[in-house]
Amino acid sequence: MPQTADFLLHRLREWGVRRVFGYPGDGINALLGAFDRAEGDPEFIQTRHEEMAAFMATAHAKFTGELGCCVATSGGGTIHLLNGLYDAKLDHQPVVAILGQQKRIALGSAYQQEIDPNTLYKDVAEYVQTCMHPAQARQLIDRACKVALANRTVAAVIVPEDVAQEPAQPSPPREHGAVYTSVGYVKPRVTPPATELRKAADILNEGQKVAIIVGQGAAKASEEVGQVAELLGAGVAKTSLGREVLPDELPYVTGPIGLLGSTSSHAMMMGADTLFMIGTSFPYAEWLPPEGQCRGVEIDLDGRMIGVRYPMEAQLIGDSKETLQELIPLLERKKDRSWREHVEAQVSEWWDILDDRAHDKADPLNPELVAHELSKRLPDDCILTTDAGSVANWWSRHLRLREGMRASLAGNLATMGPGTPYAISAKFAYPERPVIAMVGDGVFQMNGMLELITVKRYLDRLEGSPLIFCVFNNQDLNQVTWEQRAMGGEPKFMGSQYIPEVPYAEWAKLLGFTGIRCDSPKSIGAAWDEALASTKPVVLEVVVDPEVPPVPPHIKKMQAKKVAKALRQGDPEAWGIATKGGRQKAHEFTESLKRSLPGTHN
């Protein structure tokens, strides 16, 4: 007779879940037996750590639009899931977590591995319930999946081991208190009222210098965003989670915004008279126009988050695609294209600045050149991931996405760890597509190296087309080092920032993969060619200069003062920072000067 554990997996399968990421433990023994009997539908994917399982479930939701699902045993396994689940919560991804628990008879006795996941998960999961009876399993799985999909959030179902082992009851007894649920969720059509659409159109039509910011909420509205930008003669900046919305080849796409941003995005924000935010809650006020400079229009599906980043006159609560479809007929094409021409000139200048920066001398290899050379070689339909750290700067700025490419990272949690598991999950979902992760050596030591064992475990599924992990080896927790200088006014503290060198390429070879090590600007192009041609998974280890600063598009006066203070206090890399940082900013001045001279760029 099927157990409750079998029915749980059957119900998840009915919800479209075909892959569950996790790690075994005795608190989920019954579920593991059920996975065995399920014969791969749904399939249990064994990760090296439960945190990685949660990251993979989050990535699956991001890259497929489907439910992500992960499972963990009682006690420590349940605790380990949390960081990856917070990534799903903060980036609004539908993920269901199945959690093991001690038998009901032991609960409340301070039994081994007994924790209170109901309390522990109250912040990360919008829905968290314990299955206390086999007949309850149906409605708990159905409700968890509906909540996760409807609210784009995390839901958790706790399953005591004895309940999981009991005979399944797919249909509850017909008695008072029984609940009968069904599988199925259809996304509703959400659009704002006509009066608010008219107000938004009037503001946008009256604006002379419209700046658009898009986030992941606009991912399904690429065509509509392009139409609006063309009608309004606007430029479009993209948040880190909005990288896929429009290709970087479009001349009016100003690229990233914020600390990881571009000079073209910053110039657009500082010159705009109208701000249009679509599907984003970009939080950094210092990179937005000063209050009072712009009139504001915003589209967001979540009414709780609209108008909380910049004062907005028109607040359009609705789906980005459907709202734009209703807004577009109300917009007037601007005859004066001088603002668009100005934006496009700034974008062209920015790409030239990046080219110049990438070719600056460094010791031994400029990290910007690594990303720059990859950008020229990006395969069609590739999927790109990255991690928290200075590498995210180069990933955000240098990689010119074309139509059809996918890209994501832990946007709002900005945690270390997801770059490698994101790439693995993407490869499971799309085995035929090239997948490339750019990660720092700190995070690779933290969890990426061991997660390559998961690749080895499923090598027959994950080889054949490019799967590349590019590791930036600088023996420095580089982003925090720069934050110490720019935010804290403190010199680099070697006790916390230095990390030992590890032969990452050799580690790949030990696992039977392709390992490539590059420490020369002359050979980085060839190294990328070799990596992209490999039919095996690749670790491309690039030995890069930690002194190349991730210079923001505009250096705030206070940041400059703090960096100067840090260097005066005996920073071990003071001279290299001063010369290389000065050279980077000089490129901005030089390119601007070039374009202002007669007979050069406009």
Side-chain angles (χ1 to χ4, degrees):
M1 178 179 291
Q3 297 179 353
T4 301
D6 296 287
F7 175 74
L8 284 169
L9 296 188
H10 170 77
R11 203 63 171 179
L12 287 171
R13 183 166 60 248
E14 289 188 300
W15 276 97
V17 174
R18 293 291 181 267
R19 192 173 298 118
V20 181
F21 303 93
Y23 200 80
D26 61 3
I28 54 170
N29 278 339
L31 279 166
L32 297 177
F35 274 113
D36 189 14
R37 292 186 290 275
E39 298 181 340
D41 192 14
E43 180 184 18
F44 179 84
I45 299 295
Q46 180 203 81
T47 63
R48 299 310 99 204
H49 191 286
E50 291 90 353
E51 181 183 1
M52 301 295 101
F55 280 137
M56 289 186 194
T58 301
H60 181 86
K62 283 187 174 185
F63 289 125
T64 68
E66 302 169 350
L67 272 172
C69 191
C70 54
V71 61
T73 190
S74 54
T78 291
I79 296 167
H80 281 162
L81 285 179
L82 283 171
N83 194 44
L85 292 178
Y86 269 104
D87 181 30
K89 176 188 176 179
L90 269 61
D91 281 358
H92 311 292
Q93 298 302 319
V95 172
V96 172
I98 307 298
L99 312 175
Q101 178 58 297
Q102 289 295 342
K103 295 180 178 181
R104 289 169 296 178
I105 196 172
L107 296 180
S109 68
Y111 205 78
Q112 185 184 39
Q113 288 192 336
E114 183 191 351
I115 64 169
D116 182 6
N118 292 85
T119 299
L120 183 67
Y121 270 62
K122 279 188 182 297
D123 184 55
V124 73
E126 191 163 323
Y127 179 83
V128 52
Q129 291 291 331
T130 301
C131 186
M132 300 302 292
H133 189 282
Q136 192 185 9
R138 171 175 154 184
Q139 63 103 342
L140 290 183
I141 293 296
D142 289 350
R143 186 87 195 285
C145 292
K146 289 177 191 288
V147 169
L149 288 167
N151 294 353
R152 301 195 63 79
T153 191
V154 175
V157 176
I158 305 160
V159 187
E161 179 65 6
D162 56 333
V163 177
Q165 293 171 339
E166 288 189 16
Q169 294 190 36
S171 184
R174 190 166 178 80
E175 62 184 44
H176 182 71
V179 176
Y180 296 83
T181 55
S182 58
V183 172
Y185 170 79
V186 178
K187 181 183 175 183
R189 187 172 187 269
V190 183
T191 57
T195 52
E196 201 68 10
L197 285 163
R198 181 71 262 174
K199 184 196 297 184
D202 289 343
I203 293 167
L204 295 170
N205 287 335
E206 292 167 11
Q208 300 301 308
K209 301 176 180 180
V210 181
I212 299 174
I213 308 177
V214 293
Q216 68 173 355
K220 302 297 184 183
S222 299
E223 182 178 345
E224 290 78 8
V225 171
Q227 290 179 41
V228 169
E230 178 58 30
L231 286 168
L232 300 176
V236 181
K238 304 188 292 185
T239 67
S240 293
L241 289 174
R243 292 214 61 190
E244 302 173 359
V245 176
L246 288 178
D248 292 304
E249 294 178 312
L250 294 173
Y252 59 83
V253 171
T254 63
I257 185 171
L259 195 64
L260 312 184
S262 67
T263 57
S264 49
S265 290
H266 182 67
M268 180 175 69
M269 288 298 119
M270 295 305 104
D273 64 15
T274 307
L275 179 63
F276 190 9
M277 298 179 71
I278 306 174
T280 179
S281 58
F282 180 76
Y284 303 111
E286 65 270 31
W287 301 106
L288 296 175
E291 184 177 8
Q293 175 182 306
C294 287
R295 303 180 72 185
V297 176
E298 183 175 7
I299 300 174
D300 201 300
L301 186 60
D302 188 348
R304 299 170 299 177
M305 292 302 296
I306 201 162
V308 300
R309 303 306 191 201
Y310 194 85
M312 294 293 171
E313 290 184 54
Q315 303 185 17
L316 305 175
I317 300 173
D319 174 80
S320 293
K321 184 179 184 69
E322 293 174 346
T323 300
L324 288 174
Q325 286 174 347
E326 296 202 7
L327 180 64
I328 286 170
L330 306 177
L331 299 179
E332 301 166 0
R333 189 179 192 278
K334 297 193 186 300
K335 295 179 181 178
D336 183 354
R337 311 303 281 186
S338 58
W339 171 246
R340 166 62 73 84
E341 291 167 1
H342 170 74
V343 168
E344 292 185 357
Q346 292 288 329
V347 171
S348 177
E349 181 177 315
W350 168 245
W351 288 117
D352 286 344
I353 289 168
L354 284 182
D355 194 324
D356 292 339
R357 285 185 181 178
H359 292 93
D360 281 341
K361 290 183 179 179
D363 183 19
L365 181 57
N366 187 333
E368 298 196 64
L369 184 63
V370 177
H372 183 80
E373 290 296 324
L374 169 60
S375 186
K376 295 189 292 187
R377 296 168 167 81
L378 286 175
D380 291 340
D381 295 325
C382 65
I383 300 174
L384 304 165
T385 71
T386 194
D387 235 301
S390 59
V391 66
N393 291 272
W394 323 132
W395 183 88
S396 296
R397 294 172 181 168
H398 284 271
L399 299 185
R400 298 183 76 161
L401 269 63
R402 302 190 301 276
E403 188 171 356
M405 294 180 178
R406 307 292 306 278
S408 197
L409 74 172
N412 288 296
L413 187 60
T415 181
M416 293 179 72
T420 296
Y422 268 32
I424 296 170
S425 181
K427 198 66 174 175
F428 271 116
Y430 302 103
E432 74 288 351
R433 297 181 68 165
V435 178
I436 305 168
M438 288 174 54
V439 299
D441 50 358
V443 75
F444 204 60
Q445 289 184 16
M446 181 182 283
N447 54 40
M449 293 181 70
L450 291 184
E451 210 52 45
L452 291 193
I453 298 174
T454 300
V455 178
K456 183 177 178 65
R457 168 78 167 76
Y458 299 97
L459 187 58
D460 60 325
R461 307 262 298 278
L462 303 177
E463 62 181 352
S465 63
L467 174 58
I468 303 170
F469 304 90
C470 180
V471 183
F472 285 60
N473 178 358
N474 57 19
Q475 297 183 258
D476 181 32
L477 298 176
N478 199 237
Q479 185 73 13
V480 174
T481 296
W482 286 104
E483 289 169 344
Q484 285 178 339
R485 293 164 178 148
M487 298 179 184
E490 299 290 341
K492 178 178 178 177
F493 173 46
M494 295 295 285
S496 69
Q497 300 313 107
Y498 164 78
I499 59 174
E501 184 166 17
V502 172
Y504 306 106
E506 296 304 313
W507 168 244
K509 293 176 184 178
L510 283 174
L511 295 174
F513 306 158
T514 298
I516 305 167
R517 189 176 189 273
C518 179
D519 60 3
S520 167
K522 294 180 180 179
S523 57
I524 184 58
W528 274 120
D529 290 337
E530 181 183 354
L532 289 164
S534 177
T535 57
K536 294 181 180 179
V538 176
V539 171
L540 171 56
E541 176 188 353
V542 289
V543 185
V544 296
D545 190 339
E547 296 177 357
V548 175
V551 173
H554 176 70
I555 298 178
K556 309 293 183 183
K557 186 180 295 185
M558 184 56 66
Q559 290 175 332
K561 286 182 177 179
K562 288 187 175 181
V563 170
K565 177 186 174 185
L567 301 188
R568 287 197 303 269
Q569 290 180 346
D571 192 293
E573 296 166 356
W575 175 250
I577 291 166
T579 55
K580 292 163 190 172
R583 193 181 300 135
Q584 278 193 333
K585 296 307 289 184
H587 289 310
E588 295 175 24
F589 174 77
T590 302
E591 287 299 332
S592 180
L593 182 62
K594 280 183 189 177
R595 291 162 186 271
S596 67
L597 295 174
T600 61
H601 299 282
N602 292 323

